[in-house]
Amino acid sequence: MLIGRRAGSRVMLVGPARLAYGGAGAGQDDPLVLVFDILGGYPPDARLVGEELPRLAGPARSGTLIDGSGRQVGPGSTVVVQYVATRGPGREVVASSRADGGPRAFVLKEGAVPSEWVEGLVGKRVGSRVAVTRGSVVTVIDIIDLV
């Protein structure tokens, strides 16, 4: 319902509570009204200018691949990112924001994202590309924006 709406639009969704929150705190069939003000958006293929998200070859490693020059990411920041996660020596893609419809916003705090993301992204700047490793999974993350 929100995909394809223009910035400045207001969208109202009405439906049973079970469809939005599984009915938590409300009856399963109680009406729920949600209003969204669309402030902006990102194209599904948003990325660092001229840079495709790579699938890293070789051994798993963490670190900054590209230093950005935008605003600095702090603990608890809400970041908009594109990412691709690969596993194993063959670097099979196991998750990708682009395959899931485009950029995603996450709050950088324990429990909301993997701890490696918090450690790897805090202190970086918008426009950075960072690789974080968890076991045999390497995730390459482009920091698109802070909201």
Side-chain angles (χ1 to χ4, degrees), residues 6-142:
R6 292 180 184 250
S9 298
R10 176 170 281 173
V11 179
M12 181 170 61
L13 301 175
V14 180
R18 72 180 178 293
L19 294 179
Y21 297 109
Q28 292 287 321
D29 294 315
D30 286 350
L32 184 64
V33 178
L34 300 170
V35 176
F36 297 89
D37 288 326
I38 310 296
L39 303 176
Y42 305 90
D45 63 346
R47 61 185 187 274
L48 302 182
V49 175
E51 298 282 342
E52 290 291 330
L53 277 169
R55 287 177 31 180
L56 298 177
R61 59 190 166 115
S62 294
T64 302
L65 304 174
I66 297 173
D67 283 317
S69 59
R71 295 182 293 153
Q72 190 170 36
V73 176
S77 294
T78 299
V79 294
V80 177
V81 300
Q82 284 277 40
Y83 63 89
V84 62
T86 60
R87 176 180 30 228
R91 293 293 171 229
E92 165 196 4
V93 175
V94 294
S96 165
S97 58
R98 192 167 180 182
D100 290 338
R104 297 282 188 256
F106 297 99
V107 177
L108 285 182
K109 66 178 184 178
E110 294 292 329
V113 294
S115 59
E116 296 80 13
W117 284 40
V118 176
E119 296 165 14
L121 299 182
V122 168
K124 301 298 187 247
R125 295 187 174 279
V126 171
S128 294
R129 173 172 288 159
V130 179
V132 296
T133 305
R134 181 179 204 161
S136 65
V137 176
V138 177
T139 304
V140 177
I141 305 165
D142 280 357

